[in-house]
Amino acid sequence: MASELINSIGKVAYRLVESLGYHGRMFMDATYWAFRPPSEIDNILKQIEEVGLKSLPVVLITAAFTGMVLALQSWSAFARFKAESLVGTVVALSMTRELGPVFAGLMVSGRVGASIAAELGTMKVTEQIDAMYTLAANPVKYLVVPRILATTIVMPILVIFGDLIGIVGGYFVSVKILGGNPVVYINKTYQYLELDDIYIGLLKAAVFGFLIALISCSQGFKTEGGAEGVGKSTTRAVVFSAMSVLISDYFLTALLF
């Protein structure tokens, strides 16, 4: 019994180390090819459109309802202390520092991460990626680098819109539904909000975008076993991307705030 447990732990540790090594090698390859000519600007812009515009609706809807729930919960709690005027502060700080980047990261990991892993996984099992090697075209440069750069650039932009919509959602609940003072809400929103809160939230978003794209591309390149393998790679990409967002968020918060 004990030997089986140790054996299982060893297998999990081996797969974890192997996975980290594979992602590290993919990161090194992508870094190397990112600075090699020719420029892939057209491909990067195409990926920015794919990642940004198509992710914007889901990020905005998530952010709006997050801000609304924050306002509702904060109002209910602060009413016990006659401190409803601080609802705007709570919504603004929570959205910019934490919830805006994290929820946008989780939404993008589900939509974009799955899309990248499925697309590259399908290319892998149909040997299109092997064909690129045969034609002396490095697939990391043409497939991985544009997706990593595009997702890293787009994530902070998505978070800016998400933060604004979240604060507006909080205003709607506090002022229009619960009857709060609009001038007080707006003043409290800006009174305690500092530029560092916004900058660090956007830095978090860029890191989340980088991790989501790197993990999803790596899972796509590791795909084996036909359609079933594509499905497994897609699932792993979404799960690992979401986990990386939450884990890295803790360390970034501990380091930056």
Side-chain angles (χ1 to χ4, degrees):
M1 185 66 179
S3 62
E4 291 179 0
L5 178 61
I6 294 173
N7 189 36
S8 298
I9 294 174
K11 287 181 178 178
V12 171
Y14 175 79
R15 285 198 292 269
L16 178 61
V17 172
E18 182 186 35
S19 179
L20 289 175
Y22 185 83
H23 286 84
R25 191 177 67 181
M26 180 65 80
F27 167 69
M28 296 298 292
D29 286 347
T31 303
Y32 173 77
W33 285 106
F35 297 100
R36 302 280 293 182
S39 171
E40 288 296 318
I41 187 66
D42 291 341
N43 200 358
I44 294 171
L45 292 176
K46 179 183 175 183
Q47 292 300 322
I48 287 176
E49 179 184 4
E50 179 72 21
V51 174
L53 290 181
K54 294 184 179 179
S55 299
L56 189 59
V58 69
V59 170
L60 293 184
I61 292 172
T62 304
F65 280 91
T66 301
M68 293 167 71
V69 170
L70 264 177
L72 205 58
Q73 291 281 15
S74 301
W75 186 281
S76 174
F78 288 161
R80 302 173 186 177
F81 313 102
K82 306 298 181 186
E84 297 93 329
S85 62
L86 293 176
V87 170
T89 302
V90 171
V91 173
L93 290 178
S94 300
M95 289 301 302
T96 54
R97 293 171 62 128
E98 192 65 38
L99 297 181
V102 169
F103 277 106
L106 294 176
M107 293 301 105
V108 170
S109 67
R111 203 200 75 77
V112 177
S115 173
I116 290 175
E119 184 180 2
L120 298 187
T122 301
M123 294 180 70
K124 181 68 165 46
V125 298
T126 55
E127 300 183 349
Q128 294 179 59
I129 291 179
D130 295 333
M132 293 182 73
Y133 282 115
T134 305
L135 296 171
N138 190 287
V140 173
K141 178 173 180 58
Y142 294 104
L143 299 176
V144 176
V145 171
R147 285 168 173 79
I148 289 178
L149 290 177
T151 311
T152 305
I153 293 170
V154 162
M155 270 295 293
I157 300 173
L158 290 174
V159 168
I160 290 174
F161 287 106
D163 289 347
L164 291 173
I165 292 299
I167 292 172
V168 171
Y171 174 90
F172 176 77
V173 169
S174 299
V175 176
K176 300 299 181 182
I177 295 180
L178 299 175
N181 187 308
V183 176
V184 171
Y185 183 92
I186 294 173
N187 287 340
K188 292 297 181 183
T189 295
Y190 294 107
Q191 185 174 0
Y192 298 105
L193 186 64
E194 298 178 357
L195 286 177
D196 282 351
D197 299 319
I198 300 173
Y199 293 153
I200 293 175
L202 298 182
L203 175 62
K204 280 185 174 182
V207 174
F208 297 161
F210 168 79
L211 291 173
I212 291 168
L214 177 65
I215 292 171
S216 301
C217 289
S218 298
Q219 292 300 322
F221 268 57
K222 289 175 64 176
T223 302
E224 294 178 344
E228 183 181 356
V230 173
K232 290 180 178 178
S233 294
T234 303
T235 302
R236 283 196 299 268
V238 173
V239 172
F240 292 164
S241 296
M243 289 176 62
S244 73
V245 168
L246 298 175
I247 293 172
S248 62
D249 179 54
Y250 169 80
F251 289 104
L252 288 171
T253 300
L255 180 66
L256 298 173
F257 286 106

